[in-house]
């Protein structure tokens, strides 16, 4: 089967004046269809930049990015993007935001919007404006908006980073639910190890300066996962080990 | 927390029963000062403390209103003034809105057009008026053009500003969702710039009104401005006041109309209401 996302030898350098920063260095990564892959790493490792490249929002890089075998050229509905902030249109109601440029008077759009509202459990809030929604609800609207376009992959850039712990845990479960119902391939960027192990089928650990992939940890735990189980804790420790290794090296080099 | 979902309709749709009463309260508070001024004015002239020849009195003005309305003079002049102001506003304001949108959307366009517009903006309108009269005569054209020139700038500047205030992050979203150019305009740029555009409309309307008076005072044979000028020649102070209050009333009315639109169209805004 064709992989959902293929990243082949992607490098990127930020140029600012005389100092060049090497953000990404020959990154190779494959997200298989239906997989839930998580990118984790310290801040500044370029994981968000990598996601932006896959989304097509950043085209200044070397290497190749393929979506179901086709080269990515610019942003498109095929790659749903969830940003850290919900980025809803404040002048549209929840359901209008989900439809966005499509008309709710179209019966098909109406039906699919209603389905998604049920899926993200926003019944009763269809007509609310973003200012009337909580952070978690807004983020669910954003997820529904992306899913309405039936993307080949959903790219999530620290989507729950700005939420409180309760809402975050709730939304993680909601996201798992959506993933299991829709079978959309997911690529998530986070710095939360718990979140990574709880959600994904594979955790990819990134290294910083320059950003490159250091380790890939498959998470072979059945869903739903219990954060307190021994196997969970072991995998969590394994990921943490890969992350900390770097910090020790850094400590020595100083 | 996001799980406890109460039925939101009650909070969102139903207006509080006190809503009407609150509105009336707002209106009354706004009417206190004008009412006080009118009362003092009437008392002063009734008591003979000020000259009726120079200051007239609210009662005389009211009588003059009735007389002018009955003779058909007032409706006639008002109608002509309204047509002039609306034509000028639509022409100038419309051009300002369109040009502002383009200049806001396309940097190249801005580089070519904006410096010239900003230069013209600093020229006092009254300095251009003689030129307009030389070019277009005393007819309707020069009046409408003068008004439209005045109405152009506020809408241009505010629309431009409004477009530039659109959150760049939302443009990313529009790109990801593959908005068409048309949708990008109607679902993103226009609504985002709407608060500024409405402000521009309010300012343009008041300037259109101002230019109307200038145009009609300078030379006209009809319109409220002409009526004032004509009355001045005969020292008919009450008619002058009728003209002035008409301007004030219509000005306030048009402003209230835009404010009403603001309330309706900007319901989504989450800003401090005082």
């Amino acid at each position: 089967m064709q992989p959902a996302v293929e990243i082949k030898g992607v490098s990127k350098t930020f140029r600012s004046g005389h100092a060049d920063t090497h953000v990404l260095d020959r990154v190779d990564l494959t997200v298989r269809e239906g997989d839930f892959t998580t990118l984790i790493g310290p801040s500044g490792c370029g994981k968000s930049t990598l996601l932006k490249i896959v989304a097509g929002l950043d085209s200044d890089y070397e290497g190749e990015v393929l979506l179901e075998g086709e080269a990515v050229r610019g942003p498109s509905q095929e790659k749903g993007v969830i940003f850290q902030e919900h980025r809803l249109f404040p002048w549209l109601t929840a359901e209008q935001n989900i439809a966005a440029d499509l008309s709710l008077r179209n019966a098909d759009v109406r039906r699919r919007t209603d389905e998604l509202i049920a899926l993200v459990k926003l019944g009763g809030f269809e007509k609310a404006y973003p200012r009337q929604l909580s952070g978690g609800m807004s983020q669910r609207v954003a997820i529904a908006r992306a899913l309405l376009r039936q993307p080949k992959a959903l790219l999530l850039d620290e989507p729950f980073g700005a939420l409180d712990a309760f809402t975050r845990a709730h939304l993680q479960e909601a996201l798992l639910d959506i993933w299991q119902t829709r079978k959309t391939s997911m690529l998530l960027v986070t710095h939360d190890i718990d979140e990574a192990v709880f959600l994904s089928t594979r955790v990819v650990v990134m290294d910083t300066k320059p950003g490159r992939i250091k380790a890939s940890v498959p998470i072979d735990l059945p869903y739903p996962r219990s954060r307190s189980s021994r196997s969970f804790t072991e995998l969590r420790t394994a990921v943490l080990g890969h992350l900390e290794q770097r910090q020790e090296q850094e400590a020595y080099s100083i | 927390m996001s799980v406890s979902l109460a039925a939101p309709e009650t909070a969102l749709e139903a207006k509080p029963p006190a809503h009407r009463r609150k509105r009336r309260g707002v209106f009354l508070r706004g009417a206190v000062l004008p009412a006080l001024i009118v009362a003092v004015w009437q008392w002063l002239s009734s008591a003979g403390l000020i000259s009726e020849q120079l200051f007239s009195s609210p009662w005389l003005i009211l009588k003059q209103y009735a007389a002018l309305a009955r003779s058909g003079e007032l409706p006639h002049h008002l109608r002509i003034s309204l047509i002039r102001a609306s034509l000028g506003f639509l022409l100038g304001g419309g051009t300002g809105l369109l040009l502002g949108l383009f200049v806001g959307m396309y940097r190249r366009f801005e580089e070519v057009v904006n410096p010239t517009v900003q230069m013209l903006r600093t020229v006092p309108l009254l300095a251009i008026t003689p030129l307009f009269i030389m070019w277009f005569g005393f007819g309707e054209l020069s009046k409408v053009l003068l008004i439209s020139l005045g109405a152009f700038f506020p809408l241009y500047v505010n629309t431009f500003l409004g477009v530039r205030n659109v959150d760049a992050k939302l443009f990313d979203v529009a790109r990801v969702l593959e908005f068409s150019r048309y949708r990008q305009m109607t679902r993103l740029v226009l609504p985002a710039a709407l608060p500024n555009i409405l402000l521009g409309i309010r300012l343009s309307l008041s300037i259109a009104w101002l230019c109307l008076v200038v145009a009609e005072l300078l030379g006209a044979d009809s319109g409220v401005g002409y009526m004032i000028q004509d009355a001045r020649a005969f020292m008919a102070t009450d008619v002058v006041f009728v003209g002035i209050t008409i301007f004030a009333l219509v000005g306030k009315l048009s402003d209230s109309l835009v404010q009403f639109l603001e309330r309706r169209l900007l319901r989504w805004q989450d800003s401090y209401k005082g």
Side-chain angles (χ1 to χ4, degrees), chain A:
Chain A
M1 203 162 50
Q2 204 156 44
V5 179
E6 271 177 289
I7 300 167
K8 291 179 179 169
V10 166
S11 300
K12 180 173 173 71
T13 312
F14 274 127
R15 287 181 185 84
S16 57
H18 48 272
D20 285 4
T21 323
H22 213 46
V23 207
L24 293 169
D25 183 39
R26 283 161 291 150
V27 173
D28 292 296
L29 178 68
T30 304
V31 179
R32 280 177 306 172
E33 177 136 19
D35 255 16
F36 199 132
T37 304
T38 296
L39 280 173
I40 196 166
S43 54
C45 72
K47 52 190 192 298
S48 285
T49 309
L50 187 60
L51 201 79
K52 245 193 202 138
I53 289 174
V54 178
L57 286 167
D58 186 343
S59 53
D60 180 25
Y61 63 94
E62 290 154 47
E64 208 182 356
V65 178
L66 303 177
L67 183 78
E68 291 195 352
E70 274 182 51
V72 167
R73 292 183 218 294
S76 76
Q77 302 180 15
E78 295 185 326
K79 312 169 280 284
V81 185
I82 308 295
F83 301 94
Q84 179 162 10
E85 332 83 53
H86 55 74
R87 299 201 188 179
L88 299 180
F89 299 108
W91 44 86
L92 299 182
T93 61
E95 60 180 13
Q96 286 170 338
N97 259 294
I98 296 173
D101 61 328
L102 306 173
S103 170
L104 281 168
R105 262 166 287 178
N106 177 315
D108 181 51
V109 176
R110 177 80 257 178
R111 183 182 53 77
R112 284 192 290 143
T113 305
D114 289 341
E115 273 173 25
L116 281 164
I117 286 170
L119 180 70
V120 297
K121 299 189 175 63
L122 277 169
F125 286 89
E126 297 91 340
K127 304 263 190 281
Y129 285 102
R131 70 178 161 92
Q132 296 163 311
L133 299 174
S134 70
M137 286 156 90
S138 302
Q139 202 57 289
R140 280 184 282 161
V141 175
I143 292 173
R145 175 172 71 183
L147 287 176
L148 186 80
R149 274 89 195 158
Q150 287 158 324
K152 291 174 174 164
L154 201 56
L155 313 170
L156 305 109
D157 187 7
E158 302 192 27
F160 312 138
L163 305 174
D164 64 89
F166 281 113
T167 315
R168 193 184 312 155
H170 187 72
L171 273 191
Q172 285 165 356
E173 273 165 42
L175 186 64
L176 271 185
D177 226 35
I178 290 164
W179 174 61
Q180 280 156 355
T181 334
R182 288 275 179 145
K183 311 217 162 25
T184 313
S185 314
M186 303 271 189
L187 183 57
L188 170 82
V189 162
T190 184
H191 53 239
D192 181 341
I193 303 173
D194 245 35
E195 182 168 286
V197 179
F198 184 73
L199 293 173
S200 20
T201 50
R202 183 161 68 116
V203 176
V204 175
V205 182
M206 282 185 75
D207 203 353
T208 182
K209 283 174 201 154
R212 54 162 69 108
I213 287 172
K214 185 157 65 172
S216 169
V217 185
I219 313 287
D220 298 319
L221 298 177
Y223 295 94
R225 292 169 178 172
S226 151
R227 284 172 218 263
S228 50
S229 74
R230 223 184 95 199
S231 41
F232 189 96
T233 327
E234 275 170 10
L235 280 165
R236 198 185 173 287
T237 316
V239 175
L240 191 62
H242 288 297
L243 276 168
E244 275 178 342
Q245 212 179 317
R246 165 74 194 194
Q247 279 159 8
E248 277 162 28
Q249 279 169 6
E250 238 169 2
Y252 281 124
S253 66
I254 289 167

Side-chain angles (χ1 to χ4, degrees), chain B residues 17 27 47-48 91 98 110 124 175 179 190 207 233 255 274:
Chain B
F27 177 78
L91 186 66
L98 277 180
E110 178 199 345
R175 283 171 69 203
F179 277 27
L190 276 178
I207 294 219
D255 194 62

Side-chain angles (χ1 to χ4, degrees), chain A residues 77 90-91 100 124 131-132 170, chain B residues 3 8 12 177-178 187 267:
Chain A
Q77 302 180 15
W91 44 86
R131 70 178 161 92
Q132 296 163 311
H170 187 72
Chain B
V3 254
L12 301 177
L177 299 181
E178 295 181 81
R187 292 275 157 102
R267 248 179 320 189

Side-chain angles (χ1 to χ4, degrees), chain B residues 14-33:
Chain B
K15 283 181 178 147
H19 182 75
R20 270 259 157 87
R21 218 175 327 139
K22 206 173 125 197
R23 271 281 176 73
R24 202 174 309 146
V26 170
F27 177 78
L28 284 178
R29 276 193 290 280
V32 165
L33 268 180

